[in-house]
Amino acid sequence: MKKSVAMCTYNGSMYLQNQLESIVNQSEQVDEIIICDDCSTDDTVHIAENFLKDKGINYRIIKNINNLGFKNNFYQSISLCSGDIIFFCDQDDVWDKDKVKLMCDVFRTNENALLVFSNADVTEQDLQTKGDLFVALSFRKEFMKNSKVQVEKLLADNFVTGATSAIRKELVELAKPYGEKWAHDYWFAVIAAMNNGLYCIDKKLIKYRQHSDNTIGILKGVSFDLIKRLFSKDKSNKKNRDNYYAELRIEILDYLLEFMKEKNTYAPYYSVVKNCYDFWKKREAFAVQGVFKNTGIVLKDAIHKEQYVYRNTDKPIIKDFIKGIALAHRDA
């Protein structure tokens, strides 16, 4: 079973060598490392080349002529991998020495496994642990009960982190055409689940480094800035995700429903996706309606505890209620 690493880099000189060291020192060796650099302006490419040249592992470093962006650069890196198993890899984490072996054991034991993911230690930039990734993502073991539950819970909120994941190469073709609005790890996880191929290792197999250049927003508390962003009426700032809600969900669910219709092989999951779509469709008008109308939608769904089905978060009803207030008349 040939094993590839798909790594994307961009101005990663500060942490890249730590990551590469953790890869080449695995208890079960990988066969190739594919690095796609997205127009770095620092020493990233030089560090990678200088480190890997005498390690006895096949590698390729592709220097993009134009910046592809994180998601498309990952798809490029994945497409260049020749391995049966492809490990997704960020430039700034550190792998446990047994990560490759433990994940490959799952693939060897389960022929239908398409994507395997794990837990992680969430760390400061100096690798001091500050949290548990599964806790930060509100992930629970019961989410893996069966494939329908997996799909439902994934659509509520993604709990599969790309940096902790590896896929069987067959998943690449199953997942095409890729969803333009979907993050690559999220899309692969949903397609793996709908093919009964999503597996979890409940062990922390990487140190998931958080720093000013990559912070994904986990383990953050309430702040004045967060409240300001939440209640902002300015739609011009597309990066202000706190000021968006249903529109972030509707566009990816629209694509998934069309994808399922075209493939014509995912009928058992159609109602799961459609019910999720309907939940978010009711919230599409939050920004043009008033507080009372939005509150009515929230309260009606709260009677049936729908927020607990379609959100993986603490206090989902309260958060739904706050969004209804914050977004009221935003676009009026």
Side-chain angles (χ1 to χ4, degrees):
M1 188 162 63
K2 186 175 181 180
K3 301 168 288 291
S4 299
V5 174
M7 175 186 280
C8 291
T9 59
Y10 177 73
N11 288 347
S13 60
M14 186 175 295
Y15 307 112
L16 179 59
Q17 184 157 327
N18 289 154
Q19 174 67 293
L20 291 172
E21 286 173 351
S22 74
I23 295 171
V24 301
N25 291 324
Q26 287 290 299
S27 59
E28 180 173 334
Q29 192 73 267
V30 300
D31 298 289
E32 71 172 1
I33 299 173
I34 303 297
I35 298 175
C36 289
D37 184 78
D38 210 16
C39 304
S40 289
T41 56
D42 63 3
D43 292 332
T44 295
V45 172
H46 173 74
I47 290 170
E49 179 71 44
N50 194 54
F51 180 82
L52 291 172
K53 64 184 180 183
D54 59 356
K55 294 299 183 292
I57 296 176
N58 291 329
Y59 70 93
R60 288 180 63 190
I61 300 175
I62 291 84
K63 293 180 283 187
N64 295 341
I65 298 173
N66 299 306
N67 187 279
L68 298 181
F70 182 75
K71 178 176 59 180
N72 289 328
N73 198 29
F74 247 112
Y75 285 139
Q76 174 183 239
S77 182
I78 290 165
S79 72
L80 296 172
C81 290
S82 61
D84 306 296
I85 306 299
I86 302 171
F87 287 82
F88 298 168
C89 184
D90 289 351
Q91 65 185 1
D92 45 17
D93 302 323
V94 173
W95 288 8
D96 180 272
K97 66 181 178 63
D98 294 320
K99 170 186 165 82
V100 171
K101 179 185 182 304
L102 291 172
M103 299 191 88
C104 284
D105 283 346
V106 176
F107 284 111
R108 282 186 281 258
T109 305
N110 302 277
E111 291 185 358
N112 63 322
L114 291 170
L115 187 153
V116 180
F117 68 101
S118 77
N119 198 357
D121 279 315
V122 180
T123 76
E124 302 282 1
Q125 63 183 36
D126 62 0
L127 297 182
Q128 292 298 308
T129 299
K130 69 174 183 176
D132 178 294
L133 182 60
F134 280 174
V135 172
L137 296 174
S138 300
F139 172 75
R140 300 193 298 274
K141 291 180 182 178
E142 54 263 37
F143 290 3
M144 299 298 292
K145 181 179 178 181
N146 58 55
S147 60
K148 278 193 175 182
V149 172
Q150 291 170 12
V151 173
E152 182 177 80
K153 292 302 180 182
L154 277 168
L155 295 181
D157 283 296
N158 185 26
F159 52 78
V160 175
T161 302
T164 73
S165 303
I167 64 170
R168 202 182 293 275
K169 191 163 189 178
E170 288 82 348
L171 182 58
V172 174
E173 292 305 316
L174 288 171
K176 290 179 179 177
Y178 301 134
E180 181 182 345
K181 300 293 184 180
W182 287 75
H184 70 285
D185 49 3
Y186 199 3
W187 181 247
F188 279 121
V190 170
I191 302 305
M194 291 199 302
N195 284 276
N196 201 32
L198 185 65
Y199 283 75
C200 174
I201 298 177
D202 191 11
K203 292 184 179 180
K204 297 172 183 175
L205 297 184
I206 72 168
K207 290 187 181 297
Y208 191 40
R209 195 193 311 253
Q210 301 291 286
H211 51 83
S212 59
D213 294 329
N214 82 329
T215 300
I216 61 172
I218 62 176
L219 303 179
K220 281 183 166 182
V222 175
S223 66
F224 176 75
D225 285 341
L226 173 61
I227 295 171
K228 185 178 178 181
R229 293 195 304 272
L230 180 63
F231 283 85
S232 172
K233 301 299 182 184
D234 181 12
K235 280 191 67 180
S236 63
N237 182 7
K238 296 296 184 181
K239 293 184 178 180
N240 181 11
R241 294 175 66 86
D242 297 304
N243 190 230
Y244 287 81
Y245 199 35
E247 51 266 67
L248 297 174
R249 308 291 184 125
I250 293 295
E251 60 185 9
I252 65 172
L253 292 169
D254 266 331
Y255 183 82
L256 180 57
L257 287 168
E258 287 302 314
F259 178 89
M260 295 168 73
K261 288 177 183 176
E262 289 181 14
K263 295 288 185 179
N264 200 30
T265 56
Y266 298 116
Y269 304 99
Y270 189 83
S271 63
V272 174
V273 180
K274 184 63 166 61
N275 289 340
C276 183
Y277 177 86
D278 291 343
F279 173 84
W280 288 106
K281 196 70 177 173
K282 285 182 285 186
R283 284 148 180 78
E284 190 175 36
F286 270 13
V288 296
Q289 296 174 166
V291 171
F292 289 113
K293 204 169 230 183
N294 291 352
T295 300
I297 292 172
V298 173
L299 292 176
K300 186 176 180 180
D301 284 349
I303 294 171
H304 303 287
K305 297 185 176 181
E306 289 196 22
Q307 288 89 344
Y308 285 93
V309 177
Y310 300 113
R311 291 301 312 276
N312 298 337
T313 184
D314 293 330
K315 302 179 178 63
I317 294 174
I318 293 174
K319 291 178 179 179
D320 198 28
F321 179 68
I322 291 172
K323 281 287 191 178
I325 296 174
L327 296 178
H329 295 306
R330 185 196 67 189
D331 299 344

